[in-house]
Amino acid sequence: MNLDTNTRNYYNGISREVDTLELQVTNSPFNQEQVELLNRLLPTLTGTQRIWLGGYLAAVGGAAVAPSAVVPAQAEALVNASPVSKEVTVLFGSQTGNGHGLAKKTAKKLEEQGFQVTISSMGDFKPNNLKKVQNLLILVSTHGEGEPPDNALAFHEFLHSKRAPQLESLRFSVLALGDTSYEFFCQTGKDFDKRLEELGAKRIAPRVDCDVDYDGPAAEWMKSVLEALGEGSSAPAAAIGAGAAVAGGTESEYSRTNPFQAEVLENLNLNGRGSQRETRHIELSLEGSNLQYEPGDSLGIYPENDPRLVDDLIEAMGWKANELVPVKNSGDRPLREALLHHFEITVLTKPLLEQAASLRSGNGLKALLEAGREQELKTYIAERDVLDLVQDYSLKGVPAGEFVSILRKMPARLYSIASSPKANPDEVHVTVRTVRYEAHGRSRYGVCSVQLAERVSQGDTLPVYIQHNSNFKLPESPDTPIIMIGPGTGVAPFRAFLGERQETGAEGKSWLFYGDQHFSTDFLYQVEWQRWLKEGVLTRMDVAFSRDTDKKVYVQHRMLEKSRELYEWIKEGACVYVCGDEKKMAHDVHAALATILEQEGGLSPEEAAEYLIRMQQQKRYQRDVY
Ligand code: NDP
């Protein structure tokens, strides 16, 4: 709410008079009847009511803001010591939605403390407006090899370019989200933090880097930011930071921190006999959960570790399965249960190795962590698990309680939702490829995918939550054409998209590029695509079965074969969606799109790259890649 100085002084005046004087015709602009009415009313008001009324009258008088927008906290900020509420801009860069969720939480906390908050995706924020920002909070995740999420790409590039302005009057703080199992942990957050400092901005609070279990550190960051912003501002510092805990992001009582036990309704293998792959189609009931989702969102599933691996670890360490070990927020639990449900034992991280080295001296692990062996360390971390670690570095003998204290909490696995809630009310479907392989002398199993394939049947329950993803959404207009590129399990969200478009009667054209290894055994949801093609819900479909021919054929080859038509769809305003493998496919598909723009649109490579960035900013090119 913006008020001119006269208006503010006027209402501050009223506030003081209410405390000290009776209103009279002579000391106010009111007539006798109004004075009597006000003198009857004002002494009955509580402090909060007076503050609210002050803000309300100010807003009505200023005619700038609708009365409903006057929240008590803002009115309080006006009446109290400082004349102006502080303005804070919260920018998030988020691929899977965690950064977005935390940004909303931060904005809510700030508003409750009387700050004026502007919250925006980095993709929607005009970088030229940065000069006008006083306080900037950045919440950003990191992907792949230290890359920014899609909706942070353009802002990241701008800030690191020569066009970035000097920002001496800006105050900022960064919350970086990442995963310590990746080499470039929280790199994008670190980039922003460093660059803003280089441009002259001052930190409100130090950057916090969060691992997958981000709730605690994120809450601490919010607390320190709120405290620092509160100092000298209109927001009462004593109230700041209280209860700054992070909760989940849905309206339902169920969330990432309080998952819903969803009953398994269906669990099918989508691959035919003889396939080298196994892909489970899982249907879960959300009945009674009040969990809501939209096509493009993901489902979080908390898995349990493979009992074979847990038993091997217990044996290798000489522990007892039923000895009690401490588990955060769950008290002391029997070791086997704790290792099955609460701790991550299949992923290694550098911090874990460092802590393991400190538990046992002289076991060679310290040497692996020394400078000069980075590549060896990286390979070891990427290919091994906790059982390898304890065996390779003779950690037998470390007490179980001590050992589990260095393990990360079991994180949930996210799967792109494969169902439309309109087509399947109270249900959610996912498509999960089973991960099994041999490495370093033993069989390795994907935690969640093998649990779903081998140990979950109809009637069982799984702890789940919805991860909203505003970066992967159908276009607002049902008439907008959509181009969907989803090889392998990447096809899952497009089943949700088409289910939704069928239910809503959307008439926009749609084109699916799908690929997998063999037509006869790996054509996921074949019957459904064919039905949608027949019914006109799906306009076109091109497939690439990579191992049916001598030469590999991938989705991007099919796109290039159809480059003229694809270009025409894009020029007509089609939205392009890519889902699936991040490491290779998404890059190759991106390159194919650029080639199509160059070939068919006569753009230079630079212009094609810019065109794709603009499409990303306009939400016409969205990716859900992993
Ligand atoms: P894949 O992406 O492995 O395979 C789908 C098709 O894409 C295959 O025909 C494959 O060909 C082809 N392909 C391989 N390289 C490229 C490329 N550069 N460009 C285009 N197409 C290519 O499918 P998945 O669904 O198994 O895996 C997708 C991603 O999900 C991977 O990153 C995988 O690691 C990850 N993943 C997914 C899980 C899930 O359940 N959702 C579980 C574990 C991992 P070919 O194989 O013949 O080379």
Side-chain angles (χ1 to χ4, degrees), residues 276-280 414-416 431-435 446 449 452 485-492 514-518 522 524 544-548 552-557 579-589 625-626:
Q276 290 167 23
R277 323 197 113 185
E278 177 179 354
T279 316
R280 309 303 298 196
L414 287 178
Y415 296 100
S416 313
T431 315
V432 181
R433 181 132 306 159
T434 313
V435 178
S449 67
L452 294 173
I485 302 151
T489 51
V491 83
Y514 168 73
D516 216 315
Q517 293 182 346
H518 298 288
D522 307 324
L524 307 184
F545 289 98
S546 54
R547 303 194 186 187
D548 280 345
K552 288 238 171 159
V553 192
Y554 290 153
V555 281
Q556 61 271 24
H557 301 130
C579 182
D581 173 60
E582 198 269 333
K583 289 163 233 49
K584 293 199 199 106
M585 183 278 292
H587 293 271
D588 294 347
V589 165
V625 292
Y626 33 84

Short mmCIF file of all heavy atoms in Angstrom, two decimals, residues 276-280 414-416 431-435 446 449 452 485-492 514-518 522 524 544-548 552-557 579-589 625-626, ligand 1:
data_model
loop_
_atom_site.label_atom_id
_atom_site.label_comp_id
_atom_site.label_asym_id
_atom_site.label_seq_id
_atom_site.Cartn_x
_atom_site.Cartn_y
_atom_site.Cartn_z
N GLN A 276 14.06 -56.01 -22.95
CA GLN A 276 15.18 -55.85 -22.01
C GLN A 276 14.80 -54.90 -20.88
O GLN A 276 15.60 -54.63 -20.00
CB GLN A 276 16.39 -55.29 -22.74
CG GLN A 276 16.99 -56.29 -23.70
CD GLN A 276 17.99 -55.63 -24.63
OE1 GLN A 276 18.53 -54.57 -24.33
NE2 GLN A 276 18.22 -56.25 -25.76
N ARG A 277 13.62 -54.34 -20.96
CA ARG A 277 13.23 -53.34 -19.98
C ARG A 277 11.97 -53.76 -19.23
O ARG A 277 11.20 -54.59 -19.72
CB ARG A 277 12.96 -52.00 -20.67
CG ARG A 277 13.91 -51.72 -21.81
CD ARG A 277 13.89 -50.28 -22.19
NE ARG A 277 15.16 -49.67 -21.86
CZ ARG A 277 15.44 -48.39 -21.99
NH1 ARG A 277 14.52 -47.56 -22.41
NH2 ARG A 277 16.61 -47.92 -21.68
N GLU A 278 11.82 -53.18 -18.06
CA GLU A 278 10.58 -53.41 -17.31
C GLU A 278 10.10 -52.03 -16.86
O GLU A 278 10.86 -51.27 -16.27
CB GLU A 278 10.86 -54.28 -16.07
CG GLU A 278 9.63 -54.49 -15.21
CD GLU A 278 9.88 -55.37 -13.98
OE1 GLU A 278 11.00 -55.94 -13.85
OE2 GLU A 278 8.97 -55.48 -13.16
N THR A 279 8.85 -51.71 -17.20
CA THR A 279 8.31 -50.40 -16.85
C THR A 279 6.98 -50.61 -16.15
O THR A 279 6.07 -51.22 -16.71
CB THR A 279 8.07 -49.55 -18.12
OG1 THR A 279 9.20 -49.68 -18.98
CG2 THR A 279 7.84 -48.09 -17.77
N ARG A 280 6.87 -50.15 -14.93
CA ARG A 280 5.64 -50.39 -14.17
C ARG A 280 4.68 -49.22 -14.34
O ARG A 280 5.07 -48.06 -14.26
CB ARG A 280 5.92 -50.55 -12.66
CG ARG A 280 6.99 -51.51 -12.26
CD ARG A 280 6.81 -52.90 -12.74
NE ARG A 280 5.62 -53.60 -12.27
CZ ARG A 280 5.45 -54.92 -12.35
NH1 ARG A 280 6.39 -55.69 -12.88
NH2 ARG A 280 4.35 -55.47 -11.93
N LEU A 414 10.74 -38.61 -7.17
CA LEU A 414 9.70 -37.88 -7.88
C LEU A 414 9.43 -38.52 -9.23
O LEU A 414 10.37 -38.81 -9.98
CB LEU A 414 10.13 -36.43 -8.11
CG LEU A 414 10.13 -35.51 -6.90
CD1 LEU A 414 10.64 -34.13 -7.30
CD2 LEU A 414 8.73 -35.39 -6.31
N TYR A 415 8.17 -38.72 -9.54
CA TYR A 415 7.78 -39.25 -10.85
C TYR A 415 6.76 -38.33 -11.49
O TYR A 415 5.79 -37.92 -10.83
CB TYR A 415 7.19 -40.66 -10.70
CG TYR A 415 8.21 -41.64 -10.18
CD1 TYR A 415 8.24 -42.00 -8.84
CD2 TYR A 415 9.18 -42.18 -11.02
CE1 TYR A 415 9.20 -42.88 -8.35
CE2 TYR A 415 10.15 -43.05 -10.54
CZ TYR A 415 10.15 -43.40 -9.22
OH TYR A 415 11.11 -44.25 -8.74
N SER A 416 6.97 -38.03 -12.77
CA SER A 416 5.99 -37.21 -13.50
C SER A 416 4.67 -37.95 -13.53
O SER A 416 4.62 -39.13 -13.90
CB SER A 416 6.45 -36.99 -14.93
OG SER A 416 7.80 -36.61 -14.95
N THR A 431 4.58 -43.83 -14.09
CA THR A 431 5.23 -44.76 -15.02
C THR A 431 6.68 -44.88 -14.58
O THR A 431 7.42 -43.89 -14.63
CB THR A 431 5.17 -44.17 -16.44
OG1 THR A 431 3.86 -43.66 -16.68
CG2 THR A 431 5.56 -45.20 -17.48
N VAL A 432 7.07 -46.06 -14.13
CA VAL A 432 8.38 -46.18 -13.48
C VAL A 432 9.22 -47.27 -14.12
O VAL A 432 8.80 -48.45 -14.16
CB VAL A 432 8.19 -46.49 -11.97
CG1 VAL A 432 9.54 -46.59 -11.28
CG2 VAL A 432 7.33 -45.43 -11.30
N ARG A 433 10.36 -46.89 -14.64
CA ARG A 433 11.25 -47.90 -15.24
C ARG A 433 12.07 -48.56 -14.14
O ARG A 433 12.63 -47.87 -13.28
CB ARG A 433 12.17 -47.22 -16.25
CG ARG A 433 13.08 -48.19 -16.90
CD ARG A 433 13.14 -48.08 -18.40
NE ARG A 433 11.90 -48.14 -19.12
CZ ARG A 433 11.73 -47.69 -20.35
NH1 ARG A 433 12.72 -47.12 -20.98
NH2 ARG A 433 10.57 -47.78 -20.95
N THR A 434 12.13 -49.88 -14.16
CA THR A 434 12.86 -50.61 -13.12
C THR A 434 14.35 -50.56 -13.42
O THR A 434 14.78 -50.87 -14.53
CB THR A 434 12.38 -52.08 -13.09
OG1 THR A 434 10.96 -52.08 -13.10
CG2 THR A 434 12.88 -52.79 -11.84
N VAL A 435 15.11 -50.16 -12.41
CA VAL A 435 16.56 -50.02 -12.59
C VAL A 435 17.26 -51.20 -11.92
O VAL A 435 17.22 -51.36 -10.70
CB VAL A 435 17.05 -48.70 -11.96
CG1 VAL A 435 18.56 -48.57 -12.10
CG2 VAL A 435 16.36 -47.51 -12.62
N GLY A 446 17.61 -50.18 -8.28
CA GLY A 446 17.02 -48.88 -8.03
C GLY A 446 16.12 -48.98 -6.81
O GLY A 446 15.34 -49.93 -6.70
N SER A 449 12.21 -48.00 -7.75
CA SER A 449 11.69 -48.73 -8.92
C SER A 449 11.66 -50.24 -8.65
O SER A 449 10.70 -50.92 -9.04
CB SER A 449 12.50 -48.40 -10.17
OG SER A 449 13.82 -48.88 -10.07
N LEU A 452 8.83 -51.09 -6.24
CA LEU A 452 7.54 -51.11 -6.93
C LEU A 452 7.41 -52.38 -7.79
O LEU A 452 6.33 -52.95 -7.91
CB LEU A 452 7.39 -49.86 -7.81
CG LEU A 452 7.29 -48.54 -7.04
CD1 LEU A 452 7.31 -47.36 -8.00
CD2 LEU A 452 6.04 -48.49 -6.17
N ILE A 485 7.42 -34.12 -26.71
CA ILE A 485 8.56 -34.98 -27.05
C ILE A 485 8.91 -35.77 -25.80
O ILE A 485 9.39 -35.19 -24.80
CB ILE A 485 9.75 -34.12 -27.54
CG1 ILE A 485 9.29 -33.28 -28.75
CG2 ILE A 485 10.94 -35.00 -27.90
CD1 ILE A 485 10.02 -31.98 -28.90
N GLY A 486 8.66 -37.06 -25.82
CA GLY A 486 8.85 -37.84 -24.60
C GLY A 486 9.24 -39.27 -24.85
O GLY A 486 8.39 -40.17 -24.81
N PRO A 487 10.53 -39.54 -25.09
CA PRO A 487 10.96 -40.94 -25.24
C PRO A 487 10.97 -41.65 -23.89
O PRO A 487 11.13 -41.02 -22.84
CB PRO A 487 12.37 -40.83 -25.81
CG PRO A 487 12.85 -39.47 -25.47
CD PRO A 487 11.63 -38.59 -25.29
N GLY A 488 10.81 -42.98 -23.91
CA GLY A 488 10.85 -43.77 -22.68
C GLY A 488 9.78 -43.33 -21.70
O GLY A 488 8.66 -42.97 -22.08
N THR A 489 10.16 -43.31 -20.41
CA THR A 489 9.21 -42.90 -19.38
C THR A 489 8.87 -41.42 -19.49
O THR A 489 7.94 -40.96 -18.82
CB THR A 489 9.78 -43.19 -17.98
OG1 THR A 489 11.10 -42.61 -17.92
CG2 THR A 489 9.87 -44.67 -17.70
N GLY A 490 9.61 -40.71 -20.32
CA GLY A 490 9.31 -39.29 -20.56
C GLY A 490 7.94 -39.07 -21.16
O GLY A 490 7.44 -37.95 -21.21
N VAL A 491 7.30 -40.15 -21.61
CA VAL A 491 5.98 -39.99 -22.22
C VAL A 491 4.88 -39.82 -21.17
O VAL A 491 3.77 -39.39 -21.48
CB VAL A 491 5.69 -41.20 -23.16
CG1 VAL A 491 5.16 -42.39 -22.37
CG2 VAL A 491 4.79 -40.80 -24.30
N ALA A 492 5.22 -40.14 -19.91
CA ALA A 492 4.20 -40.16 -18.84
C ALA A 492 3.33 -38.90 -18.77
O ALA A 492 2.10 -39.00 -18.82
CB ALA A 492 4.87 -40.44 -17.49
N TYR A 514 7.54 -39.98 -29.77
CA TYR A 514 7.81 -40.98 -28.74
C TYR A 514 8.83 -41.98 -29.27
O TYR A 514 8.84 -42.29 -30.47
CB TYR A 514 6.51 -41.72 -28.37
CG TYR A 514 6.75 -42.93 -27.53
CD1 TYR A 514 7.12 -42.80 -26.20
CD2 TYR A 514 6.66 -44.21 -28.08
CE1 TYR A 514 7.39 -43.92 -25.43
CE2 TYR A 514 6.91 -45.34 -27.32
CZ TYR A 514 7.29 -45.18 -25.99
OH TYR A 514 7.56 -46.28 -25.24
N GLY A 515 9.66 -42.47 -28.38
CA GLY A 515 10.62 -43.48 -28.82
C GLY A 515 10.99 -44.41 -27.68
O GLY A 515 10.92 -44.04 -26.50
N ASP A 516 11.36 -45.63 -28.04
CA ASP A 516 11.95 -46.56 -27.07
C ASP A 516 12.72 -47.60 -27.87
O ASP A 516 12.94 -47.40 -29.08
CB ASP A 516 10.87 -47.17 -26.16
CG ASP A 516 11.42 -47.35 -24.74
OD1 ASP A 516 12.56 -47.84 -24.60
OD2 ASP A 516 10.72 -47.01 -23.78
N GLN A 517 13.09 -48.71 -27.24
CA GLN A 517 14.00 -49.61 -27.96
C GLN A 517 13.31 -50.42 -29.07
O GLN A 517 13.76 -50.41 -30.20
CB GLN A 517 14.71 -50.51 -26.95
CG GLN A 517 15.66 -49.70 -26.06
CD GLN A 517 16.44 -50.53 -25.06
OE1 GLN A 517 16.12 -51.69 -24.82
NE2 GLN A 517 17.45 -49.93 -24.46
N HIS A 518 12.23 -51.14 -28.73
CA HIS A 518 11.59 -52.00 -29.73
C HIS A 518 10.09 -51.76 -29.82
O HIS A 518 9.41 -51.68 -28.78
CB HIS A 518 11.83 -53.48 -29.39
CG HIS A 518 13.28 -53.86 -29.39
ND1 HIS A 518 14.02 -53.96 -30.54
CD2 HIS A 518 14.13 -54.11 -28.36
CE1 HIS A 518 15.28 -54.29 -30.22
NE2 HIS A 518 15.37 -54.37 -28.91
N ASP A 522 8.20 -52.54 -26.36
CA ASP A 522 8.45 -51.36 -25.52
C ASP A 522 7.57 -50.15 -25.84
O ASP A 522 7.90 -49.03 -25.45
CB ASP A 522 9.93 -50.94 -25.67
CG ASP A 522 10.89 -52.08 -25.41
OD1 ASP A 522 10.58 -52.91 -24.52
OD2 ASP A 522 11.92 -52.17 -26.09
N LEU A 524 5.13 -48.09 -24.88
CA LEU A 524 4.34 -47.82 -23.67
C LEU A 524 3.00 -47.15 -24.02
O LEU A 524 2.97 -46.20 -24.79
CB LEU A 524 5.12 -46.90 -22.71
CG LEU A 524 6.54 -47.32 -22.32
CD1 LEU A 524 7.11 -46.34 -21.29
CD2 LEU A 524 6.57 -48.74 -21.76
N ALA A 544 10.09 -43.46 -32.77
CA ALA A 544 11.47 -43.82 -33.12
C ALA A 544 11.86 -45.02 -32.26
O ALA A 544 12.14 -44.85 -31.06
CB ALA A 544 12.39 -42.64 -32.83
N PHE A 545 11.85 -46.20 -32.85
CA PHE A 545 12.27 -47.38 -32.09
C PHE A 545 13.74 -47.64 -32.39
O PHE A 545 14.10 -48.05 -33.50
CB PHE A 545 11.34 -48.57 -32.39
CG PHE A 545 9.99 -48.33 -31.76
CD1 PHE A 545 8.94 -47.83 -32.52
CD2 PHE A 545 9.80 -48.52 -30.41
CE1 PHE A 545 7.72 -47.55 -31.93
CE2 PHE A 545 8.58 -48.24 -29.80
CZ PHE A 545 7.54 -47.76 -30.56
N SER A 546 14.56 -47.35 -31.38
CA SER A 546 16.00 -47.21 -31.62
C SER A 546 16.69 -48.51 -31.98
O SER A 546 17.72 -48.50 -32.63
CB SER A 546 16.64 -46.60 -30.38
OG SER A 546 16.32 -47.35 -29.24
N ARG A 547 16.14 -49.64 -31.55
CA ARG A 547 16.88 -50.89 -31.76
C ARG A 547 16.18 -51.85 -32.73
O ARG A 547 16.45 -53.03 -32.75
CB ARG A 547 17.16 -51.57 -30.42
CG ARG A 547 17.93 -50.62 -29.50
CD ARG A 547 18.54 -51.28 -28.32
NE ARG A 547 19.12 -50.25 -27.44
CZ ARG A 547 19.85 -50.51 -26.38
NH1 ARG A 547 20.12 -51.75 -26.05
NH2 ARG A 547 20.33 -49.52 -25.65
N ASP A 548 15.27 -51.32 -33.53
CA ASP A 548 14.62 -52.16 -34.54
C ASP A 548 15.34 -52.08 -35.88
O ASP A 548 15.02 -52.83 -36.79
CB ASP A 548 13.16 -51.72 -34.73
CG ASP A 548 12.26 -52.28 -33.64
OD1 ASP A 548 12.69 -53.21 -32.92
OD2 ASP A 548 11.12 -51.80 -33.49
N LYS A 552 20.71 -46.48 -35.21
CA LYS A 552 19.81 -45.97 -34.15
C LYS A 552 18.96 -44.81 -34.66
O LYS A 552 19.47 -43.92 -35.34
CB LYS A 552 20.65 -45.48 -32.97
CG LYS A 552 21.27 -46.62 -32.20
CD LYS A 552 20.86 -46.62 -30.75
CE LYS A 552 21.34 -47.89 -30.10
NZ LYS A 552 21.44 -47.82 -28.68
N VAL A 553 17.69 -44.85 -34.32
CA VAL A 553 16.80 -43.74 -34.67
C VAL A 553 16.21 -43.21 -33.37
O VAL A 553 15.64 -43.98 -32.59
CB VAL A 553 15.62 -44.21 -35.56
CG1 VAL A 553 14.91 -43.00 -36.14
CG2 VAL A 553 16.09 -45.13 -36.63
N TYR A 554 16.37 -41.93 -33.14
CA TYR A 554 15.86 -41.30 -31.93
C TYR A 554 14.80 -40.26 -32.28
O TYR A 554 14.68 -39.85 -33.44
CB TYR A 554 17.00 -40.62 -31.16
CG TYR A 554 18.00 -41.57 -30.52
CD1 TYR A 554 19.32 -41.16 -30.30
CD2 TYR A 554 17.64 -42.85 -30.12
CE1 TYR A 554 20.24 -42.00 -29.70
CE2 TYR A 554 18.56 -43.70 -29.52
CZ TYR A 554 19.86 -43.28 -29.31
OH TYR A 554 20.77 -44.11 -28.71
N VAL A 555 14.09 -39.78 -31.25
CA VAL A 555 13.00 -38.82 -31.50
C VAL A 555 13.49 -37.59 -32.27
O VAL A 555 12.79 -37.07 -33.15
CB VAL A 555 12.33 -38.36 -30.18
CG1 VAL A 555 11.36 -39.40 -29.67
CG2 VAL A 555 13.35 -37.98 -29.11
N GLN A 556 14.70 -37.12 -31.97
CA GLN A 556 15.18 -35.91 -32.65
C GLN A 556 15.39 -36.13 -34.14
O GLN A 556 15.26 -35.20 -34.93
CB GLN A 556 16.44 -35.34 -31.98
CG GLN A 556 17.65 -36.22 -31.96
CD GLN A 556 17.66 -37.10 -30.71
OE1 GLN A 556 16.61 -37.37 -30.13
NE2 GLN A 556 18.82 -37.55 -30.30
N HIS A 557 15.65 -37.40 -34.53
CA HIS A 557 15.77 -37.69 -35.96
C HIS A 557 14.40 -37.54 -36.62
O HIS A 557 14.28 -36.99 -37.71
CB HIS A 557 16.31 -39.11 -36.19
CG HIS A 557 17.67 -39.30 -35.57
ND1 HIS A 557 17.98 -40.35 -34.75
CD2 HIS A 557 18.79 -38.53 -35.63
CE1 HIS A 557 19.23 -40.23 -34.33
NE2 HIS A 557 19.74 -39.13 -34.85
N CYS A 579 10.11 -34.16 -22.14
CA CYS A 579 10.20 -34.87 -20.86
C CYS A 579 11.05 -36.13 -21.04
O CYS A 579 10.95 -36.82 -22.04
CB CYS A 579 8.81 -35.23 -20.35
SG CYS A 579 8.88 -36.05 -18.74
N GLY A 580 11.89 -36.41 -20.04
CA GLY A 580 12.71 -37.62 -20.06
C GLY A 580 14.16 -37.34 -19.70
O GLY A 580 14.45 -36.41 -18.94
N ASP A 581 15.03 -38.13 -20.28
CA ASP A 581 16.46 -38.10 -19.94
C ASP A 581 17.08 -36.71 -20.11
O ASP A 581 16.99 -36.10 -21.18
CB ASP A 581 17.18 -39.12 -20.83
CG ASP A 581 18.68 -39.03 -20.64
OD1 ASP A 581 19.14 -39.24 -19.52
OD2 ASP A 581 19.37 -38.72 -21.62
N GLU A 582 17.73 -36.25 -19.05
CA GLU A 582 18.34 -34.92 -19.07
C GLU A 582 19.73 -34.94 -19.68
O GLU A 582 20.14 -34.01 -20.37
CB GLU A 582 18.41 -34.40 -17.63
CG GLU A 582 18.61 -32.91 -17.48
CD GLU A 582 20.06 -32.49 -17.40
OE1 GLU A 582 20.89 -33.30 -16.95
OE2 GLU A 582 20.37 -31.36 -17.80
N LYS A 583 20.44 -36.04 -19.39
CA LYS A 583 21.88 -36.04 -19.71
C LYS A 583 22.15 -35.95 -21.20
O LYS A 583 22.98 -35.16 -21.63
CB LYS A 583 22.54 -37.29 -19.10
CG LYS A 583 22.63 -37.21 -17.58
CD LYS A 583 22.89 -38.57 -16.98
CE LYS A 583 21.95 -39.01 -15.90
NZ LYS A 583 20.53 -38.95 -15.99
N LYS A 584 21.43 -36.73 -22.00
CA LYS A 584 21.70 -36.69 -23.45
C LYS A 584 20.48 -36.22 -24.24
O LYS A 584 20.56 -35.30 -25.03
CB LYS A 584 22.12 -38.08 -23.93
CG LYS A 584 23.44 -38.54 -23.38
CD LYS A 584 23.99 -39.68 -24.23
CE LYS A 584 25.04 -40.47 -23.49
NZ LYS A 584 24.52 -41.79 -23.07
N MET A 585 19.36 -36.91 -24.05
CA MET A 585 18.20 -36.66 -24.91
C MET A 585 17.80 -35.19 -24.94
O MET A 585 17.64 -34.60 -26.01
CB MET A 585 17.04 -37.55 -24.43
CG MET A 585 15.77 -37.47 -25.26
SD MET A 585 14.70 -36.07 -24.88
CE MET A 585 14.12 -36.45 -23.23
N ALA A 586 17.65 -34.58 -23.75
CA ALA A 586 17.15 -33.20 -23.71
C ALA A 586 18.09 -32.25 -24.47
O ALA A 586 17.63 -31.33 -25.14
CB ALA A 586 16.97 -32.75 -22.27
N HIS A 587 19.39 -32.50 -24.38
CA HIS A 587 20.36 -31.65 -25.09
C HIS A 587 20.24 -31.86 -26.60
O HIS A 587 20.27 -30.90 -27.38
CB HIS A 587 21.79 -31.97 -24.64
CG HIS A 587 22.03 -31.59 -23.22
ND1 HIS A 587 22.48 -30.34 -22.85
CD2 HIS A 587 21.85 -32.27 -22.06
CE1 HIS A 587 22.58 -30.28 -21.53
NE2 HIS A 587 22.20 -31.45 -21.03
N ASP A 588 20.09 -33.13 -26.99
CA ASP A 588 20.00 -33.43 -28.42
C ASP A 588 18.71 -32.88 -29.02
O ASP A 588 18.69 -32.38 -30.15
CB ASP A 588 20.09 -34.95 -28.66
CG ASP A 588 21.48 -35.48 -28.27
OD1 ASP A 588 22.40 -34.67 -28.06
OD2 ASP A 588 21.63 -36.72 -28.17
N VAL A 589 17.63 -32.97 -28.25
CA VAL A 589 16.34 -32.44 -28.74
C VAL A 589 16.43 -30.91 -28.84
O VAL A 589 15.94 -30.30 -29.80
CB VAL A 589 15.18 -32.89 -27.81
CG1 VAL A 589 13.92 -32.09 -28.07
CG2 VAL A 589 14.91 -34.38 -28.01
N VAL A 625 12.85 -32.66 -17.16
CA VAL A 625 13.91 -33.62 -17.49
C VAL A 625 14.67 -34.01 -16.23
O VAL A 625 14.82 -33.23 -15.31
CB VAL A 625 14.86 -33.03 -18.58
CG1 VAL A 625 14.13 -32.91 -19.90
CG2 VAL A 625 15.47 -31.71 -18.16
N TYR A 626 15.16 -35.26 -16.23
CA TYR A 626 15.78 -35.78 -15.01
C TYR A 626 16.97 -36.66 -15.33
O TYR A 626 17.12 -37.09 -16.46
CB TYR A 626 14.76 -36.58 -14.19
CG TYR A 626 13.73 -37.32 -15.02
CD1 TYR A 626 14.00 -38.57 -15.55
CD2 TYR A 626 12.48 -36.75 -15.30
CE1 TYR A 626 13.06 -39.25 -16.31
CE2 TYR A 626 11.54 -37.42 -16.07
CZ TYR A 626 11.84 -38.67 -16.57
OH TYR A 626 10.92 -39.33 -17.33
P1 NDP B 1 15.63 -43.87 -22.05
O1 NDP B 1 15.73 -42.40 -22.22
O2 NDP B 1 16.77 -44.61 -21.48
O3 NDP B 1 15.27 -44.61 -23.41
C1 NDP B 1 14.17 -44.21 -24.23
C2 NDP B 1 14.60 -44.17 -25.66
O4 NDP B 1 15.46 -43.06 -25.85
C3 NDP B 1 15.39 -45.41 -26.10
O5 NDP B 1 14.96 -45.78 -27.37
C4 NDP B 1 16.81 -44.92 -26.14
O6 NDP B 1 17.58 -45.59 -27.10
C5 NDP B 1 16.59 -43.52 -26.60
N1 NDP B 1 17.74 -42.64 -26.44
C6 NDP B 1 18.97 -42.90 -25.94
N2 NDP B 1 19.78 -41.84 -26.05
C7 NDP B 1 19.04 -40.87 -26.64
C8 NDP B 1 19.33 -39.54 -27.04
N3 NDP B 1 20.52 -38.99 -26.85
N4 NDP B 1 18.35 -38.84 -27.62
C9 NDP B 1 17.14 -39.37 -27.83
N5 NDP B 1 16.81 -40.63 -27.47
C10 NDP B 1 17.75 -41.37 -26.89
O7 NDP B 1 14.30 -44.13 -21.26
P2 NDP B 1 14.03 -44.31 -19.73
O8 NDP B 1 12.62 -43.98 -19.57
O9 NDP B 1 14.50 -45.63 -19.29
O10 NDP B 1 14.97 -43.25 -19.00
C11 NDP B 1 14.73 -41.85 -19.06
C12 NDP B 1 15.56 -41.19 -17.99
O11 NDP B 1 15.05 -41.50 -16.73
C13 NDP B 1 17.00 -41.61 -17.96
O12 NDP B 1 17.76 -40.47 -17.60
C14 NDP B 1 17.03 -42.60 -16.85
O13 NDP B 1 18.30 -42.66 -16.27
C15 NDP B 1 16.04 -42.00 -15.89
N6 NDP B 1 15.40 -42.93 -15.01
C16 NDP B 1 14.05 -43.03 -15.01
C17 NDP B 1 13.42 -43.84 -14.15
C18 NDP B 1 11.95 -43.86 -14.18
O14 NDP B 1 11.38 -44.82 -13.79
N7 NDP B 1 11.28 -42.82 -14.58
C19 NDP B 1 14.13 -44.70 -13.23
C20 NDP B 1 15.53 -44.54 -13.32
C21 NDP B 1 16.12 -43.69 -14.18
P3 NDP B 1 18.72 -46.67 -26.78
O15 NDP B 1 18.45 -47.24 -25.44
O16 NDP B 1 18.57 -47.67 -27.87
O17 NDP B 1 20.01 -45.93 -26.90
#
